[in-house]
């Protein structure tokens, strides 16, 4: 699917090459037979809107959206395993899958980086590509819902990916969950993540200032990663759409 290659490029860090070849990307949509006209128009509009802005502004917004906090991370396993040991094994398994299909990674990105995974699926048959998308549909739906809540135009890219997967999972069903999530990309939340716990010596009474203690309690939940229960999300959204 050429669409997967295009969306992969659009989800990667925006650079000068993307802006230079924006018209080529738009022209390539004409040969994407897997897209209907509204989907083609959505992607073309995204490219036009993105590349009409100054590159530095686009890059800054991209980093703010995808690199601050974990909620909208483009690392797939971040939304399932977090920092657990299971994530490492999942990474090894995915890397083995790439190699079994003749793909040897030479980039600095991790195997579960979404643009890289889409690039991989683009090299497979349409049926295999759809199956690969279906494997990550709950993650795509979660990201679509979170980006929609932030009114980001990137949400449209995930809507297209969900449509190409052929899955019945609906990102709209995750809106109530997303609405209850605390933002993890605010300055206060980011500070709380990196804030070191004060060292206390044996027998020492609590010496954490009241204001600091209140600050820690206030943001304790704000920095808790919101991981995805794939089975629950799939059952919920499939059941509601049935």
């Amino acid at each position: 699917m050429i669409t997967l290659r295009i969306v992969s490029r659009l989800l990667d860090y925006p650079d000068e090459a993307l802006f230079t070849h924006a018209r080529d990307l738009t022209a390539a949509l004409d040969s994407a037979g897997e897209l209907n006209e509204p989907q083609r128009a959505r992607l073309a509009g995204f490219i036009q809107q993105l590349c009409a802005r100054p590159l530095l502004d686009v890059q800054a917004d991209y980093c703010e959206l995808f690199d601050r906090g974990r909620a909208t991370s483009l690392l797939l396993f971040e939304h399932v395993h977090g920092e657990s040991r299971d994530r490492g094994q999942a990474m090894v398994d995915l890397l083995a899958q790439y190699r079994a299909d003749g793909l040897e990674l030479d980039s600095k990105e991790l195997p579960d980086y979404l643009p890289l995974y889409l690039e991989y699926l683009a090299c497979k048959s349409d049926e295999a590509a759809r199956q690969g998308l279906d494997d990550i549909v709950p993650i795509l739906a979660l990201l679509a819902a979170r980006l929609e809540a932030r009114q980001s135009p990137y949400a449209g890219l995930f809507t297209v990916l969900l449509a190409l997967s052929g899955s019945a999972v609906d990102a709209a069903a995750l809106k109530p969950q997303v609405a209850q999530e605390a933002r993890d990309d605010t300055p206060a939340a980011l500070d709380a993540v990196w804030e070191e716990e004060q060292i206390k010596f044996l027998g020492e009474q609590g010496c954490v200032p009241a204001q600091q203690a209140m600050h820690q309690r206030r943001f304790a939940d704000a920095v808790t990663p919101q991981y995805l229960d794939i089975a629950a999300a799939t059952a919920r959204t499939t059941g509601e759409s049935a």
Side-chain angles (χ1 to χ4, degrees):
M1 291 187 189
I2 190 172
T3 301
L4 297 184
R5 194 178 298 275
I6 295 172
V7 174
S8 170
R9 187 64 186 89
L10 295 176
L11 280 175
D12 204 354
Y13 182 73
D15 54 18
E16 189 65 44
L18 174 62
F19 277 48
T20 300
H21 298 286
R23 291 185 178 180
D24 295 332
L25 284 175
T26 303
L29 292 172
D30 294 334
S31 60
E34 62 271 13
L35 294 174
N36 57 34
E37 283 305 317
Q39 292 167 344
R40 191 174 288 111
R42 176 184 293 234
L43 291 179
F46 176 87
I47 296 171
Q48 181 179 11
Q49 178 183 6
L50 187 76
C51 298
R53 302 174 57 213
L55 176 58
L56 290 178
D57 290 348
V58 172
Q59 291 174 333
D61 288 347
Y62 180 94
C63 292
E64 287 285 329
L65 184 63
F66 293 117
D67 295 339
R68 289 171 64 90
R70 296 175 172 177
T72 54
S73 172
L74 293 179
L75 297 175
L76 296 171
F77 296 146
E78 173 63 46
H79 303 285
V80 182
H81 303 299
E83 299 300 328
S84 71
R85 293 182 179 180
D86 292 338
R87 181 177 184 179
Q89 185 58 54
M91 207 84 72
V92 171
D93 293 342
L94 182 56
L95 187 58
Q97 180 180 331
Y98 288 161
R99 289 172 175 168
D101 287 335
L103 177 64
E104 191 69 34
L105 301 188
D106 61 357
S107 71
K108 65 180 185 299
E109 299 296 347
L110 294 172
D112 65 334
Y113 182 53
L114 180 56
L116 175 61
Y117 183 70
L118 294 177
E119 185 78 16
Y120 161 69
L121 293 183
C123 298
K124 301 175 72 66
S125 66
D126 287 358
E127 181 179 356
R130 287 193 175 89
Q131 180 58 56
L133 286 175
D134 189 64
D135 290 341
I136 62 169
V137 151
I139 302 174
L140 296 177
L142 182 66
L143 287 170
R146 286 173 173 169
L147 292 170
E148 184 69 31
R150 299 186 186 192
Q151 299 182 329
S152 169
Y154 278 95
L157 301 184
F158 288 86
T159 300
V160 170
L161 292 176
L162 287 169
L164 292 178
S165 73
S167 171
V169 174
D170 182 10
L174 292 173
K175 286 185 177 180
Q177 171 187 331
V178 169
Q180 295 176 3
E181 293 177 351
R183 290 284 292 261
D184 67 350
D185 61 337
T186 63
L190 293 171
D191 286 345
V193 169
W194 294 105
E195 188 175 66
E196 296 182 1
E197 184 177 356
Q198 184 168 354
I199 298 176
K200 295 183 182 180
F201 296 99
L202 184 63
E204 184 180 28
Q205 298 298 321
C207 56
V208 179
Q211 185 176 1
Q212 180 180 347
M214 183 181 299
H215 174 87
Q216 290 175 337
R217 289 196 300 271
R218 180 181 178 188
F219 296 106
D221 295 331
V223 297
T224 301
Q226 302 288 341
Y227 298 129
L228 176 64
D229 184 339
I230 290 184
T234 302
R236 179 171 61 252
T237 52
T238 302
E240 292 181 1
S241 60

